[in-house]
């Protein structure tokens, strides 16, 4: 069964009774885990209940395929439906899940978690083609998604935020849901329930996060500051940020800059095109965007977009260290930006 994105939120809160298994997959591990927890709690509110929740690994099922059906058919000693969680599911489990979905023994509810799966994934096809199963993609948060998470989290703690503080959170929190939740939890502990937060409060609470450092690396690359790129990437990697996330952040920034450069080429001024940016440009980044629009043309940005897209492809296909590919790509963008600068410096049209 295929689930449209518009139905996902409602399904997660109340899965169809006919569905016996759900596959959650995608590059956003945090969102995969969060949605898996939500689904599991629809069956068993206490995810630590040893009688009603079974945790299995993909490698464990590969070694003992019969265990999936056994766990699904087993009855809880204290009553109630059981949840069987399968971690690290891969295409190697396709035959096992296909067989299971043909027979669906017992009444156990299966929640399988996987990483990024391509459209040709046999495991995805097995879930999509079965009337008893659903596959749900979990992709990095959009600004709208982050805004919703921020609003709901602050509301749960009865915390109000200024417009600048809320915008800063949306612009600077990472695209991984688990990291976003962790940063917001840190913020709510810092602020306290029932409080009001301003921009400075937010910067103090999450200013040292890897997501903010990643944003700094992206801005430095687009402005041609190779030394800062190198220095900030050391910090970002030390804090555990993935090279893929950094490359994708660079790609998103270049795409945004490309749209603005195209509008600038049509005759607008930097100030005019920046006012039209959606989401709005954070005011403390306005000077950086002006400098970058002065450096880059639409054609030049298109070349850098191709460069960064190739870097992500190399991470997936070559087997070379992802951190090295990421660093080389951002430094190449910085070098290209530096080569475009005039000796006396540039300033955007006002």
């Amino acid at each position: 069964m295929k689930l449209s994105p518009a139905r996902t939120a409602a399904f997660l809160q109340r899965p169809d009774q006919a569905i016996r298994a759900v596959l959650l997959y995608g590059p956003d591990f945090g969102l995969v885990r969060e949605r898996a927890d939500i689904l599991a709690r629809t069956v068993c509110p206490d995810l630590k209940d040893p009688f009603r929740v079974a945790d299995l690994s993909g490698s464990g099922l590969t070694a003992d395929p019969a265990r999936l059906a056994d766990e699904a058919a087993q009855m809880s000693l204290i009553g109630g439906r059981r949840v069987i969680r399968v971690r690290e599911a891969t295409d190697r489990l396709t035959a096992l899940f296909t067989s299971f979905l043909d027979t669906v023994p017992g009444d156990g509810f299966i929640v399988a978690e996987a990483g990024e799966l391509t459209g040709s994934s046999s495991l995805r096809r097995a879930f999509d083609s079965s009337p008893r199963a659903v596959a749900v993609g979990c992709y990095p948060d959009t600004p709208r998604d982050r805004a919703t998470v921020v609003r709901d989290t602050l509301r749960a703690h009865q915390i109000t935020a200024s417009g600048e503080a809320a915008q800063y959170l949306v612009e600077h929190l990472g695209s991984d849901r688990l990291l976003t939740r962790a940063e917001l939890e840190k913020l709510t502990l810092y602020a306290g329930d029932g409080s009001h937060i301003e921009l400075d409060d937010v910067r103090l609470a999450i200013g040292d996060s890897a997501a903010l450092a990643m944003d700094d690396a992206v801005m430095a690359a687009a402005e041609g500051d190779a030394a800062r790129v190198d220095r900030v990437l050391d910090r970002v990697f030390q804090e555990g940020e993935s090279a893929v996330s950094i490359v994708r952040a660079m790609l998103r920034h270049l795409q945004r800059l490309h749209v603005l450069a195209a509008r600038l080429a049509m005759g607008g001024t930097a100030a005019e095109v920046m006012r039209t940016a959606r989401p709005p440009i954070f005011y403390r980044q306005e000077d950086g965007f002006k400098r970058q629009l002065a450096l880059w043309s639409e054609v030049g940005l298109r070349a850098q977009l191709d460069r960064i897209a190739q870097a992500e492809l190399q991470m997936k296909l070559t087997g070379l260290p992802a951190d090295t590919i990421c660093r080389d790509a951002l430094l190449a963008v910085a070098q290209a930006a530096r080569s475009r600068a005039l000796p006396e410096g540039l300033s955007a049209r006002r």
Side-chain angles (χ1 to χ4, degrees):
M1 172 180 163
K2 291 193 175 184
L3 191 68
S4 67
R7 291 185 54 206
T8 298
F11 175 84
L12 292 172
Q13 297 296 331
R14 185 173 293 182
D16 297 350
Q17 291 299 311
I19 299 301
R20 294 291 308 279
V22 179
L23 171 66
L24 298 159
Y25 67 91
D28 189 340
F29 169 78
L31 186 56
V32 167
R33 179 57 51 84
E34 179 174 296
R35 287 177 167 178
D37 288 347
I38 292 172
L39 279 169
R41 286 194 179 98
T42 65
V43 174
C44 178
D46 181 4
L47 299 185
K48 295 182 179 180
D49 187 333
F51 298 105
R52 295 183 59 193
V53 180
D55 278 288
L56 310 177
S57 67
S59 58
L61 284 179
T62 301
D64 183 11
R67 191 174 175 194
L68 180 65
D70 290 345
E71 292 286 357
Q74 184 175 326
M75 297 182 65
S76 170
L77 295 176
I78 60 174
R81 194 178 178 196
R82 300 184 76 243
V83 179
I84 297 85
R85 303 189 67 166
V86 179
R87 320 277 188 173
E88 301 173 359
T90 66
D91 283 348
R92 288 181 298 177
L93 298 178
T94 300
L96 172 60
F97 273 107
T98 300
S99 175
F100 174 83
L101 292 171
D102 283 342
T103 57
V104 286
D107 68 347
F109 184 55
I110 312 299
V111 181
E113 301 174 30
E116 192 164 6
L117 300 175
T118 66
S120 61
S121 164
S122 57
L123 187 62
R124 278 182 60 180
R125 289 201 303 270
F127 276 75
D128 282 338
S129 61
S130 172
R132 302 182 181 95
V134 167
V136 180
C138 301
Y139 299 101
D141 284 337
T142 65
R144 177 177 293 182
D145 295 329
R146 286 196 294 276
T148 299
V149 173
V150 168
R151 183 178 61 250
D152 291 347
T153 302
L154 296 182
R155 182 183 298 155
H157 292 271
Q158 298 179 320
I159 295 173
T160 58
S162 69
E164 287 183 345
Q167 182 182 336
Y168 188 91
L169 287 168
V170 172
E171 288 283 329
H172 291 80
L173 286 173
S175 56
D176 183 285
R177 180 65 66 85
L178 195 62
L179 293 176
T180 295
R181 291 286 189 194
E183 291 299 325
L184 288 174
E185 182 65 23
K186 185 165 63 175
L187 174 63
T188 58
L189 287 171
Y190 167 83
D193 289 359
S195 63
H196 176 80
I197 55 175
E198 295 287 347
L199 177 61
D200 287 343
D201 300 316
V202 174
R203 290 180 66 84
L204 282 172
I206 69 170
D208 291 331
S209 71
L212 296 181
M214 179 169 63
D215 190 66
D216 189 21
V218 166
M219 294 293 286
E223 292 179 27
D225 191 343
R228 191 163 110 235
V229 170
D230 215 23
R231 184 173 63 253
V232 175
L233 283 181
D234 285 340
R235 174 185 166 195
V236 173
F237 289 141
Q238 286 174 2
E239 294 188 10
E241 191 66 64
S242 73
V244 172
S245 296
I246 299 167
V247 165
R248 287 178 177 168
M250 186 78 248
L251 188 65
R252 289 194 298 271
H253 181 72
L254 291 174
Q255 288 170 338
R256 192 178 189 192
L257 205 57
H258 182 260
V259 170
L260 298 179
R263 293 173 182 167
L264 194 62
M266 294 173 64
T269 67
E272 289 169 348
V273 300
M274 286 170 60
R275 279 198 298 270
T276 67
R278 293 293 180 273
I281 296 170
F282 182 59
Y283 80 94
R284 296 200 180 190
Q285 291 184 330
E286 288 178 355
D287 289 343
F289 270 86
K290 286 180 181 179
R291 289 192 295 270
Q292 292 164 35
L293 286 173
L295 286 173
W296 293 103
S297 67
E298 181 187 2
V299 174
L301 286 165
R302 197 178 307 138
Q304 300 311 310
L305 283 166
D306 290 341
R307 184 197 299 276
I308 298 301
Q310 283 298 314
E312 183 173 357
L313 189 62
Q314 288 173 15
M315 291 179 185
K316 297 177 180 179
L317 300 179
T318 65
L320 295 173
D323 289 6
T324 301
I325 295 173
C326 171
R327 189 185 297 270
D328 288 348
L330 264 66
L331 288 174
V333 173
Q335 181 58 43
R338 187 176 179 83
S339 69
R340 300 180 70 88
L342 295 176
E344 299 299 324
L346 289 170
S347 60
R349 281 180 288 172
R350 290 175 168 76

